[in-house]
Coordinates of all heavy atoms in Angstrom, one line a residue:
M25 N 102.8 87.9 108.7 CA 101.4 88.0 109.1 C 100.9 89.4 108.8 O 101.5 90.4 109.1 CB 101.3 87.8 110.6 CG 99.9 87.9 111.2 SD 99.7 87.1 112.8 CE 99.8 88.5 113.8
E26 N 99.8 89.6 108.0 CA 99.3 90.8 107.6 C 98.5 91.5 108.7 O 97.7 90.9 109.4 CB 98.4 90.6 106.4 CG 97.9 91.9 105.8 CD 97.1 91.7 104.5 OE1 97.5 90.8 103.7 OE2 96.0 92.3 104.4
Q27 N 98.8 92.8 108.9 CA 98.2 93.6 110.0 C 97.0 94.3 109.4 O 97.0 94.9 108.3 CB 99.1 94.6 110.6 CG 98.5 95.3 111.7 CD 99.5 96.3 112.3 OE1 100.6 96.4 111.9 NE2 99.1 97.0 113.3
S28 N 95.8 94.1 110.0 CA 94.6 94.8 109.6 C 94.6 96.2 110.0 O 95.0 96.6 111.1 CB 93.4 94.0 110.2 OG 92.3 94.8 110.1
L29 N 94.2 97.1 109.1 CA 94.1 98.5 109.5 C 92.7 98.8 110.1 O 91.7 98.5 109.5 CB 94.3 99.4 108.2 CG 95.6 99.4 107.6 CD1 95.6 100.1 106.3 CD2 96.7 100.0 108.5
T30 N 92.7 99.4 111.3 CA 91.5 99.7 111.9 C 91.7 101.0 112.7 O 92.8 101.5 112.9 CB 91.0 98.7 112.9 OG1 92.0 98.5 113.9 CG2 90.7 97.3 112.3
L31 N 90.6 101.6 113.1 CA 90.7 102.9 113.9 C 91.0 102.5 115.3 O 90.5 101.5 115.9 CB 89.3 103.6 113.9 CG 88.9 104.1 112.5 CD1 87.5 104.8 112.6 CD2 89.9 105.1 111.9
D32 N 91.8 103.3 116.0 CA 92.2 103.2 117.4 C 91.0 103.3 118.3 O 90.2 104.2 118.2 CB 93.2 104.3 117.7 CG 93.7 104.3 119.2 OD1 93.2 103.4 119.9 OD2 94.4 105.2 119.5
Q33 N 90.8 102.3 119.1 CA 89.5 102.3 119.9 C 89.5 103.3 121.0 O 88.5 103.7 121.6 CB 89.4 100.9 120.6 CG 89.2 99.7 119.6 CD 88.0 99.9 118.7 OE1 86.9 100.2 119.2 NE2 88.1 99.7 117.4
E34 N 90.7 103.9 121.4 CA 90.7 104.9 122.5 C 90.5 106.3 122.0 O 90.2 107.2 122.8 CB 92.1 104.8 123.2 CG 92.3 103.5 123.9 CD 93.6 103.4 124.6 OE1 94.2 104.4 124.8 OE2 94.0 102.2 124.9
T35 N 90.6 106.6 120.7 CA 90.4 107.9 120.1 C 88.9 108.0 119.7 O 88.3 107.1 119.2 CB 91.3 108.1 118.9 OG1 92.7 107.9 119.3 CG2 91.2 109.5 118.4
H36 N 88.4 109.2 119.9 CA 87.0 109.5 119.5 C 86.9 109.8 118.1 O 87.6 110.8 117.7 CB 86.5 110.6 120.4 CG 85.0 110.7 120.4 ND1 84.2 110.6 121.5 CD2 84.1 111.0 119.4 CE1 83.0 110.8 121.2 NE2 82.9 111.0 119.9
Y37 N 86.2 109.1 117.3 CA 86.1 109.4 115.8 C 84.7 109.8 115.4 O 83.7 109.3 116.0 CB 86.4 108.1 115.1 CG 87.9 107.7 115.2 CD1 88.3 106.8 116.3 CD2 88.8 108.2 114.4 CE1 89.6 106.5 116.4 CE2 90.2 107.8 114.6 CZ 90.5 107.0 115.6 OH 91.8 106.6 115.7
C38 N 84.6 110.6 114.4 CA 83.3 111.0 113.8 C 82.6 109.7 113.3 O 83.3 108.9 112.7 CB 83.5 111.9 112.6 SG 82.0 112.3 111.8
Q39 N 81.4 109.5 113.7 CA 80.6 108.3 113.4 C 80.0 108.4 112.0 O 79.2 107.6 111.6 CB 79.6 108.1 114.4 CG 80.1 107.7 115.8 CD 80.9 106.4 115.7 OE1 80.4 105.3 115.3 NE2 82.2 106.5 116.0
S40 N 80.5 109.3 111.2 CA 80.1 109.4 109.8 C 81.3 109.3 108.8 O 81.3 108.4 108.0 CB 79.5 110.8 109.5 OG 79.2 110.9 108.1
C41 N 82.4 110.0 109.1 CA 83.6 110.0 108.2 C 84.8 109.3 108.8 O 85.7 109.0 108.1 CB 83.9 111.4 107.8 SG 84.6 112.5 109.1
G42 N 84.8 109.1 110.1 CA 85.9 108.5 110.8 C 87.0 109.4 111.2 O 88.1 109.0 111.7
M43 N 86.9 110.7 111.0 CA 87.9 111.7 111.4 C 88.1 111.7 112.9 O 87.1 111.7 113.6 CB 87.5 113.1 110.9 CG 88.6 114.1 111.2 SD 88.1 115.8 110.7 CE 87.2 116.3 112.2
P44 N 89.4 111.7 113.3 CA 89.6 111.8 114.8 C 89.1 113.1 115.3 O 89.3 114.2 114.7 CB 91.1 111.8 114.9 CG 91.6 111.2 113.6 CD 90.6 111.6 112.6
M45 N 88.3 113.1 116.4 CA 87.8 114.3 117.0 C 88.5 114.5 118.3 O 88.1 114.1 119.4 CB 86.3 114.2 117.2 CG 85.5 114.0 115.9 SD 83.8 114.2 115.9 CE 83.3 113.1 117.2
E46 N 89.7 115.2 118.2 CA 90.6 115.3 119.3 C 90.3 116.6 120.1 O 90.9 116.7 121.2 CB 92.0 115.3 118.8 CG 92.3 113.9 118.2 CD 93.7 113.9 117.4 OE1 94.2 115.0 117.0 OE2 94.2 112.8 117.2
N47 N 89.5 117.5 119.6 CA 89.2 118.7 120.4 C 87.8 119.1 120.1 O 87.2 118.8 119.0 CB 90.2 119.8 120.3 CG 90.4 120.2 118.9 OD1 89.4 120.7 118.3 ND2 91.6 120.1 118.3
A48 N 87.2 120.0 120.9 CA 85.8 120.4 120.8 C 85.6 121.3 119.5 O 84.5 121.4 119.0 CB 85.4 121.2 122.0
E49 N 86.7 121.9 119.0 CA 86.6 122.7 117.9 C 86.1 122.0 116.6 O 85.6 122.6 115.7 CB 87.9 123.4 117.6 CG 88.3 124.3 118.7 CD 89.8 124.8 118.6 OE1 90.5 124.4 117.6 OE2 90.2 125.5 119.5
V50 N 86.3 120.7 116.5 CA 85.9 120.0 115.3 C 84.6 119.2 115.5 O 84.1 118.5 114.6 CB 87.0 119.0 114.9 CG1 88.2 119.7 114.5 CG2 87.2 117.9 115.9
L51 N 83.9 119.4 116.6 CA 82.7 118.7 116.9 C 81.5 119.4 116.1 O 81.5 120.6 116.0 CB 82.3 118.7 118.4 CG 83.3 118.0 119.3 CD1 82.8 118.1 120.7 CD2 83.4 116.5 118.9
G52 N 80.6 118.6 115.6 CA 79.4 119.1 114.9 C 78.5 119.6 116.0 O 78.8 119.7 117.2
S53 N 77.3 120.1 115.6 CA 76.3 120.7 116.5 C 75.0 120.0 116.4 O 74.6 119.5 115.3 CB 76.2 122.2 116.3 OG 75.7 122.4 115.0
E54 N 74.3 120.0 117.5 CA 72.9 119.5 117.6 C 71.9 120.6 117.3 O 72.3 121.8 117.3 CB 72.6 118.8 119.0 CG 73.6 117.7 119.3 CD 73.4 116.4 118.4 OE1 72.4 116.4 117.6 OE2 74.2 115.6 118.5
T55 N 70.6 120.3 117.2 CA 69.6 121.3 117.0 C 69.6 122.4 118.0 O 69.2 123.5 117.8 CB 68.2 120.7 116.8 OG1 67.9 119.9 118.0 CG2 68.1 119.8 115.6
D56 N 69.9 122.0 119.3 CA 69.9 123.0 120.4 C 71.2 123.8 120.5 O 71.4 124.5 121.5 CB 69.5 122.3 121.7 CG 70.5 121.2 122.1 OD1 71.6 121.1 121.4 OD2 70.3 120.6 123.1
G57 N 72.1 123.6 119.6 CA 73.4 124.3 119.7 C 74.5 123.5 120.4 O 75.6 123.9 120.4
Q58 N 74.1 122.5 121.2 CA 75.1 121.7 121.9 C 76.1 121.0 120.9 O 75.7 120.7 119.8 CB 74.4 120.6 122.7 CG 73.6 121.2 123.8 CD 74.4 121.7 125.0 OE1 75.6 121.3 125.2 NE2 73.8 122.5 125.8
K59 N 77.3 120.8 121.4 CA 78.2 120.0 120.5 C 77.8 118.6 120.4 O 77.5 118.0 121.4 CB 79.6 120.1 121.1 CG 80.2 121.5 121.1 CD 80.6 122.0 119.7 CE 81.3 123.3 119.7 NZ 81.8 123.6 118.4
S60 N 77.9 118.0 119.2 CA 77.7 116.6 119.0 C 78.9 115.8 119.5 O 80.0 116.2 119.2 CB 77.4 116.3 117.5 OG 77.4 114.9 117.3
Q61 N 78.6 114.8 120.2 CA 79.7 113.9 120.7 C 80.0 112.8 119.7 O 80.9 112.0 119.9 CB 79.4 113.3 122.1 CG 79.3 114.4 123.1 CD 80.5 115.2 123.3 OE1 81.6 114.7 123.5 NE2 80.4 116.5 123.2
E62 N 79.2 112.7 118.6 CA 79.3 111.6 117.7 C 79.7 112.0 116.3 O 80.3 111.2 115.6 CB 77.9 110.9 117.5 CG 77.5 110.2 118.8 CD 76.2 109.5 118.7 OE1 75.3 109.9 117.9 OE2 76.1 108.4 119.3
Y63 N 79.5 113.3 115.9 CA 79.8 113.7 114.5 C 80.6 115.0 114.4 O 80.4 115.9 115.3 CB 78.5 113.9 113.7 CG 77.6 112.6 113.7 CD1 76.5 112.5 114.4 CD2 78.0 111.5 112.9 CE1 75.7 111.4 114.4 CE2 77.2 110.4 112.9 CZ 76.1 110.3 113.6 OH 75.3 109.2 113.6
C64 N 81.5 115.0 113.4 CA 82.3 116.2 113.3 C 81.6 117.4 112.6 O 80.5 117.1 112.0 CB 83.6 115.9 112.5 SG 83.3 115.7 110.7
M65 N 82.2 118.5 112.6 CA 81.6 119.7 112.0 C 81.5 119.7 110.5 O 80.7 120.4 109.9 CB 82.3 121.0 112.5 CG 83.8 121.0 112.0 SD 84.7 122.4 112.7 CE 85.0 123.3 111.3
Y66 N 82.3 118.8 109.9 CA 82.3 118.7 108.5 C 81.1 117.8 108.0 O 80.7 117.9 106.8 CB 83.6 118.1 107.9 CG 84.8 119.0 108.4 CD1 85.7 118.5 109.3 CD2 84.9 120.3 107.9 CE1 86.7 119.3 109.8 CE2 86.0 121.1 108.3 CZ 86.9 120.6 109.3 OH 87.9 121.4 109.7
C67 N 80.6 116.9 108.9 CA 79.5 116.0 108.5 C 78.2 116.4 109.1 O 77.2 116.1 108.5 CB 79.9 114.6 109.0 SG 81.3 113.8 108.2
Y68 N 78.2 117.2 110.2 CA 76.9 117.4 110.9 C 76.8 118.8 111.5 O 77.8 119.3 112.1 CB 77.0 116.4 112.1 CG 75.7 116.0 112.8 CD1 74.7 115.3 112.2 CD2 75.5 116.4 114.1 CE1 73.6 114.9 112.9 CE2 74.4 116.1 114.8 CZ 73.4 115.3 114.1 OH 72.3 115.0 114.8
E69 N 75.7 119.4 111.3 CA 75.4 120.8 111.8 C 74.0 120.9 112.1 O 73.1 120.5 111.3 CB 75.9 121.8 110.7 CG 75.8 123.2 111.1 CD 76.3 124.2 110.1 OE1 76.0 124.0 108.9 OE2 77.1 125.0 110.4
A70 N 73.7 121.5 113.2 CA 72.3 121.8 113.6 C 71.4 120.6 113.6 O 70.3 120.6 113.3 CB 71.7 122.9 112.8
G71 N 72.1 119.4 114.0 CA 71.3 118.2 114.1 C 71.0 117.5 112.8 O 70.3 116.5 112.8
E72 N 71.7 117.9 111.8 CA 71.5 117.2 110.5 C 72.8 117.0 109.8 O 73.8 117.8 109.9 CB 70.6 118.1 109.6 CG 69.2 118.4 110.1 CD 68.4 119.2 109.2 OE1 68.8 119.5 108.0 OE2 67.3 119.6 109.6
F73 N 72.8 115.9 109.0 CA 74.0 115.7 108.1 C 74.1 116.7 107.0 O 73.1 117.1 106.4 CB 74.0 114.3 107.5 CG 74.2 113.2 108.5 CD1 73.1 112.3 108.8 CD2 75.4 113.0 109.1 CE1 73.3 111.3 109.7 CE2 75.6 112.0 110.0 CZ 74.6 111.2 110.4
K74 N 75.3 117.2 106.8 CA 75.5 118.3 105.8 C 75.3 117.7 104.4 O 74.9 118.4 103.4 CB 76.8 118.9 105.9 CG 77.0 119.8 107.1 CD 78.3 120.5 107.1 CE 78.4 121.6 108.1 NZ 79.7 122.3 108.0
Q75 N 75.6 116.4 104.2 CA 75.4 115.7 102.9 C 74.5 114.5 103.2 O 74.9 113.3 103.2 CB 76.7 115.3 102.3 CG 77.6 116.4 102.0 CD 79.0 115.9 101.6 OE1 79.7 115.2 102.3 NE2 79.4 116.3 100.4
P76 N 73.2 114.7 103.4 CA 72.3 113.6 103.8 C 72.2 112.5 102.7 O 71.9 111.3 103.1 CB 70.9 114.3 104.0 CG 71.0 115.5 103.2 CD 72.4 115.9 103.2
E77 N 72.5 112.8 101.5 CA 72.3 111.8 100.4 C 73.6 111.1 100.1 O 73.6 110.2 99.2 CB 71.7 112.5 99.1 CG 70.4 113.2 99.4 CD 69.3 112.2 99.8 OE1 69.2 111.1 99.4 OE2 68.5 112.6 100.7
I78 N 74.7 111.4 100.7 CA 76.0 110.8 100.3 C 76.0 109.3 100.7 O 75.4 108.9 101.7 CB 77.2 111.5 101.0 CG1 78.5 111.1 100.4 CG2 77.2 111.3 102.5 CD1 79.7 112.0 100.9
T79 N 76.5 108.5 99.8 CA 76.6 107.1 100.1 C 77.9 106.8 100.8 O 78.8 107.6 100.8 CB 76.6 106.3 98.8 OG1 77.8 106.6 98.0 CG2 75.3 106.6 97.9
Q80 N 78.0 105.6 101.4 CA 79.2 105.2 102.0 C 80.4 105.1 101.0 O 81.5 105.6 101.4 CB 79.0 103.8 102.6 CG 80.2 103.3 103.4 CD 79.9 101.9 104.1 OE1 78.8 101.6 104.4 NE2 80.9 101.1 104.2
E81 N 80.1 104.7 99.8 CA 81.2 104.7 98.8 C 81.6 106.1 98.5 O 82.8 106.3 98.3 CB 80.7 104.0 97.5 CG 81.7 103.8 96.5 CD 82.8 102.8 96.8 OE1 82.5 101.8 97.6 OE2 83.9 103.0 96.4
E82 N 80.7 107.0 98.3 CA 81.1 108.4 98.1 C 81.9 109.0 99.2 O 82.8 109.8 99.0 CB 79.8 109.2 97.8 CG 79.2 108.9 96.5 CD 77.8 109.5 96.3 OE1 77.1 109.8 97.3 OE2 77.4 109.7 95.1
M83 N 81.5 108.7 100.5 CA 82.2 109.1 101.6 C 83.6 108.6 101.6 O 84.6 109.3 101.9 CB 81.5 108.7 102.9 CG 82.2 109.2 104.2 SD 82.2 111.0 104.4 CE 80.6 111.3 105.0
M84 N 83.8 107.3 101.2 CA 85.1 106.7 101.2 C 86.0 107.5 100.1 O 87.1 107.8 100.4 CB 85.0 105.3 100.8 CG 86.4 104.6 100.8 SD 86.4 102.8 100.4 CE 84.9 102.2 101.2
D85 N 85.4 107.8 99.0 CA 86.1 108.5 97.9 C 86.5 109.9 98.4 O 87.7 110.3 98.3 CB 85.3 108.6 96.7 CG 85.1 107.3 95.9 OD1 85.9 106.4 96.2 OD2 84.2 107.2 95.1
H86 N 85.6 110.6 99.1 CA 85.8 111.9 99.6 C 87.0 111.9 100.7 O 87.9 112.7 100.6 CB 84.5 112.4 100.2 CG 84.6 113.8 100.8 ND1 84.8 114.9 100.0 CD2 84.6 114.2 102.1 CE1 84.8 116.0 100.8 NE2 84.7 115.6 102.1
C87 N 86.9 111.0 101.6 CA 87.9 110.9 102.7 C 89.2 110.4 102.2 O 90.3 110.8 102.8 CB 87.4 110.0 103.8 SG 85.9 110.7 104.6
T88 N 89.3 109.6 101.2 CA 90.6 109.1 100.7 C 91.5 110.3 100.3 O 92.6 110.3 100.6 CB 90.3 108.2 99.5 OG1 89.6 107.0 100.0 CG2 91.6 107.7 98.9
G89 N 90.9 111.3 99.7 CA 91.7 112.5 99.3 C 92.3 113.2 100.4 O 93.5 113.6 100.3
F90 N 91.6 113.3 101.5 CA 92.2 113.9 102.7 C 93.4 113.1 103.3 O 94.4 113.6 103.7 CB 91.2 114.2 103.8 CG 90.2 115.2 103.4 CD1 88.9 114.9 103.0 CD2 90.5 116.6 103.3 CE1 88.0 115.8 102.6 CE2 89.6 117.5 102.9 CZ 88.3 117.2 102.6
L91 N 93.2 111.8 103.3 CA 94.2 110.9 103.9 C 95.5 110.9 103.0 O 96.6 110.9 103.5 CB 93.7 109.5 104.0 CG 92.6 109.3 105.1 CD1 92.1 107.9 105.1 CD2 93.2 109.6 106.5
I92 N 95.3 111.0 101.7 CA 96.4 111.1 100.7 C 97.1 112.4 101.0 O 98.4 112.4 101.0 CB 95.9 111.0 99.3 CG1 95.4 109.5 99.0 CG2 97.0 111.4 98.3 CD1 94.7 109.3 97.7
K93 N 96.4 113.5 101.2 CA 97.0 114.8 101.4 C 97.8 114.8 102.7 O 98.8 115.5 102.8 CB 96.0 115.9 101.6 CG 95.5 116.5 100.3 CD 94.6 117.7 100.6 CE 94.1 118.3 99.3 NZ 93.2 119.4 99.5
D94 N 97.4 113.9 103.7 CA 98.2 113.8 104.9 C 99.3 112.8 104.8 O 100.0 112.5 105.8 CB 97.2 113.3 106.0 CG 96.3 114.4 106.6 OD1 96.6 115.6 106.3 OD2 95.3 114.0 107.2
G95 N 99.6 112.3 103.6 CA 100.8 111.5 103.4 C 100.5 110.0 103.3 O 101.5 109.2 103.2
M96 N 99.3 109.5 103.3 CA 99.0 108.1 103.3 C 98.9 107.7 101.8 O 98.4 108.4 101.0 CB 97.7 107.8 104.0 CG 97.4 106.4 104.2 SD 95.9 106.1 105.2 CE 96.4 106.4 106.8
A97 N 99.4 106.5 101.5 CA 99.2 106.0 100.2 C 97.7 105.7 99.9 O 97.0 105.3 100.8 CB 100.0 104.7 100.0
E98 N 97.3 105.8 98.6 CA 95.9 105.7 98.3 C 95.4 104.3 98.7 O 94.3 104.1 99.2 CB 95.7 105.9 96.8 CG 94.2 105.8 96.4 CD 93.9 106.1 95.0 OE1 94.8 106.6 94.3 OE2 92.7 105.9 94.6
E99 N 96.2 103.2 98.4 CA 95.7 101.9 98.7 C 95.5 101.7 100.2 O 94.6 101.1 100.7 CB 96.8 100.9 98.2 CG 96.3 99.4 98.4 CD 97.4 98.5 97.8 OE1 97.8 98.7 96.6 OE2 97.7 97.5 98.5
E100 N 96.5 102.2 101.0 CA 96.4 102.2 102.4 C 95.1 102.9 102.9 O 94.4 102.5 103.8 CB 97.6 102.7 103.1 CG 97.7 102.6 104.6 CD 98.9 103.1 105.2 OE1 99.8 103.7 104.5 OE2 99.1 102.9 106.4
A101 N 94.9 104.1 102.4 CA 93.8 105.0 102.8 C 92.4 104.2 102.5 O 91.6 104.2 103.3 CB 93.8 106.3 102.0
R102 N 92.3 103.7 101.3 CA 91.1 103.0 100.9 C 90.9 101.7 101.8 O 89.8 101.4 102.2 CB 91.1 102.6 99.5 CG 90.9 103.8 98.6 CD 90.6 103.4 97.1 NE 90.4 104.6 96.4 CZ 89.3 105.3 96.3 NH1 88.2 104.9 97.0 NH2 89.2 106.4 95.6
S103 N 92.0 101.0 102.1 CA 91.9 99.9 103.0 C 91.4 100.3 104.4 O 90.5 99.6 105.0 CB 93.2 99.2 103.1 OG 93.2 98.1 103.9
L104 N 92.0 101.3 104.9 CA 91.6 101.8 106.3 C 90.1 102.2 106.3 O 89.3 101.8 107.1 CB 92.4 103.0 106.7 CG 92.0 103.7 107.9 CD1 92.2 102.8 109.1 CD2 92.7 105.0 108.1
L105 N 89.7 102.9 105.3 CA 88.3 103.4 105.2 C 87.3 102.2 104.9 O 86.2 102.2 105.5 CB 88.1 104.5 104.1 CG 88.8 105.8 104.5 CD1 88.9 106.7 103.3 CD2 88.1 106.5 105.6
A106 N 87.7 101.3 104.1 CA 86.8 100.1 103.8 C 86.6 99.3 105.0 O 85.6 98.7 105.2 CB 87.4 99.3 102.7
G107 N 87.7 99.2 105.9 CA 87.6 98.4 107.1 C 86.9 99.2 108.3 O 86.5 98.5 109.2
S108 N 86.8 100.5 108.2 CA 86.3 101.3 109.3 C 84.9 101.9 109.1 O 84.1 101.8 110.0 CB 87.3 102.4 109.6 OG 88.5 102.0 109.9
L109 N 84.7 102.5 107.9 CA 83.4 103.1 107.7 C 82.2 102.2 107.9 O 81.2 102.7 108.6 CB 83.3 103.7 106.3 CG 84.1 105.0 106.0 CD1 83.9 105.5 104.6 CD2 83.9 106.1 107.0
P110 N 82.2 101.0 107.5 CA 81.0 100.2 107.7 C 80.6 100.0 109.2 O 79.5 99.6 109.5 CB 81.3 98.8 107.1 CG 82.4 99.1 106.1 CD 83.2 100.3 106.7
H111 N 81.6 100.2 110.1 CA 81.3 100.0 111.5 C 80.9 101.3 112.3 O 80.6 101.2 113.4 CB 82.6 99.4 112.2 CG 83.0 98.1 111.5 ND1 82.3 96.9 111.7 CD2 84.0 97.8 110.7 CE1 82.9 96.0 111.0 NE2 83.9 96.5 110.4
L112 N 81.0 102.4 111.6 CA 80.6 103.7 112.2 C 79.1 103.7 112.2 O 78.4 103.2 111.4 CB 81.2 104.8 111.4 CG 82.7 104.9 111.3 CD1 83.1 106.1 110.4 CD2 83.3 105.0 112.7
K113 N 78.6 104.5 113.2 CA 77.1 104.6 113.5 C 76.3 104.9 112.3 O 75.3 104.3 112.0 CB 76.9 105.6 114.6 CG 75.5 105.6 115.1 CD 75.4 106.5 116.3 CE 74.0 106.5 116.8 NZ 73.9 107.3 118.0
R114 N 76.7 105.9 111.5 CA 76.0 106.3 110.3 C 75.8 105.2 109.3 O 74.7 105.1 108.7 CB 76.6 107.5 109.6 CG 75.8 108.0 108.5 CD 76.4 109.3 107.9 NE 75.5 109.8 106.8 CZ 75.8 110.9 106.1 NH1 76.8 111.6 106.4 NH2 74.9 111.3 105.2
W115 N 76.8 104.4 109.1 CA 76.8 103.4 108.1 C 76.3 102.0 108.6 O 76.0 101.1 107.8 CB 78.1 103.3 107.4 CG 78.6 104.7 107.0 CD1 79.6 105.4 107.5 CD2 78.0 105.5 106.0 NE1 79.7 106.7 106.9 CE2 78.7 106.8 106.0 CE3 76.9 105.4 105.1 CZ2 78.4 107.8 105.1 CZ3 76.6 106.5 104.3 CH2 77.3 107.7 104.3
S116 N 76.4 101.8 109.8 CA 76.0 100.4 110.4 C 74.6 100.3 110.7 O 74.1 99.3 111.2 CB 76.9 100.1 111.6 OG 76.5 100.9 112.7
G117 N 73.8 101.4 110.5 CA 72.4 101.4 110.8 C 72.0 101.6 112.3 O 70.9 101.3 112.7
Q118 N 73.0 102.1 113.1 CA 72.7 102.3 114.5 C 72.2 103.6 114.8 O 72.1 104.0 116.0 CB 74.0 102.1 115.3 CG 74.6 100.7 115.2 CD 75.9 100.6 115.9 OE1 76.2 101.4 116.8 NE2 76.8 99.8 115.4
Q119 N 71.8 104.4 113.8 CA 71.4 105.8 114.1 C 70.1 105.7 114.9 O 69.5 106.4 115.5 CB 71.1 106.5 112.8 CG 72.3 106.8 112.0 CD 72.0 107.6 110.7 OE1 71.2 108.5 110.8 NE2 72.5 107.2 109.6

């Protein structure tokens, strides 16, 4: 039986790139300076996306490189991102 790769439901993930946000140091910021509870500092700053024109496919390509650096096989990284990114707030149209 093939196991589907998905993000752990108990961990808080950036709703743009899917990065685990395990501490406040990686949280993005809102326009009022408050920490964003939805987006990481790499995707979101001062209430705006750092790369507003990036497509979901480009985000997948960008994030794949980081997962490979962390030791994940490229095919596994792409599978994880393909199954996860479309469900994140930025990409699912829930903004």
Side-chain angles (χ1 to χ4, degrees):
M25 183 161 97
E26 185 175 316
Q27 183 178 359
S28 164
L29 294 173
T30 59
L31 297 177
D32 177 3
Q33 297 299 314
E34 294 179 21
T35 303
H36 195 119
Y37 293 92
C38 175
Q39 292 298 299
S40 175
C41 69
M43 182 182 89
M45 298 192 307
E46 297 170 338
N47 59 60
E49 294 168 2
V50 298
L51 298 177
S53 61
E54 299 294 349
T55 55
D56 62 3
Q58 295 284 342
K59 293 288 188 177
S60 171
Q61 298 302 306
E62 296 183 325
Y63 301 106
C64 76
M65 62 189 246
Y66 304 110
C67 292
Y68 198 72
E69 183 176 48
E72 296 182 8
F73 289 112
K74 289 184 169 185
Q75 298 174 301
E77 303 300 321
I78 195 170
T79 66
Q80 185 177 327
E81 185 68 31
E82 290 168 335
M83 181 65 80
M84 186 182 318
D85 290 341
H86 180 72
C87 293
T88 296
F90 291 107
L91 293 173
I92 290 170
K93 277 186 177 181
D94 285 344
M96 189 177 284
E98 181 175 355
E99 184 177 311
E100 184 180 8
R102 288 194 177 278
S103 178
L104 173 66
L105 292 165
S108 301
L109 287 184
H111 301 288
L112 299 176
K113 188 173 182 178
R114 182 174 186 181
W115 310 111
S116 68
Q118 298 175 28
Q119 294 184 44

